[in-house]
Amino acid sequence: MKASVLLKSSLLTSLFVITSCATTKYSEDISKNNYSNLEAGKVYKVTMRDGSPKQTILFRNVVGDNLVGTAGKKDSTEVVIPKANVAAVKDRRKARIAAGATIIGAAGVAAIVLSSSRAD
């Protein structure tokens, strides 16, 4: 009985971890990359290929070979990032939601395991 509960709880935890991906990675060949999943008006954290610090951007649109946006919702400084320099883009809102769901799921799994161990 304990093994089956442990197996179920580990599968449930794995499901939360797998579904919580909020990062899109891009290859060096920009012709293969699809930037259509980026939505205007959303805040993204962009990881640079050259190792420079991550940049937060309120995405506006794609112009030629550049991602264009502003530095934030309150900061209207224009930010232009070349597609060739983009290694990954992380949706900050999805990342927060996924982290919260993972924590809630882990607490639920712990409660199931604890209650089943007391039942024996």
Side-chain angles (χ1 to χ4, degrees):
M1 178 72 178
K2 286 184 182 180
S4 66
V5 172
L6 185 61
L7 179 65
K8 289 177 186 176
S9 63
S10 64
L11 289 173
L12 185 62
T13 304
S14 300
L15 179 67
F16 279 116
V17 171
I18 290 170
T19 59
S20 66
C21 287
T23 303
T24 304
K25 296 189 178 187
Y26 295 102
S27 69
E28 290 185 32
D29 184 7
I30 61 172
S31 64
K32 293 181 182 179
N33 296 333
N34 181 10
Y35 293 93
S36 65
N37 58 344
L38 299 177
E39 296 178 35
K42 283 195 167 186
V43 178
Y44 294 99
K45 186 163 276 222
V46 181
T47 304
M48 304 300 186
R49 195 170 300 285
D50 62 4
S52 60
K54 293 180 182 179
Q55 213 168 356
T56 302
I57 181 174
L58 176 63
F59 181 71
R60 200 168 46 209
N61 60 0
V62 177
V63 178
D65 286 338
N66 298 314
L67 303 178
V68 179
T70 57
K73 291 185 177 183
K74 295 180 181 177
D75 186 359
S76 61
T77 307
E78 186 174 68
V79 176
V80 178
I81 302 172
K83 288 181 185 177
N85 198 19
V86 175
V89 176
K90 185 174 195 175
D91 185 346
R92 293 180 57 198
R93 185 170 182 264
K94 283 184 183 177
R96 283 190 210 132
I97 291 170
T102 303
I103 291 169
I104 291 169
V109 168
I112 291 170
V113 170
L114 186 61
S115 67
S116 68
S117 67
R118 288 185 179 177
D120 289 341

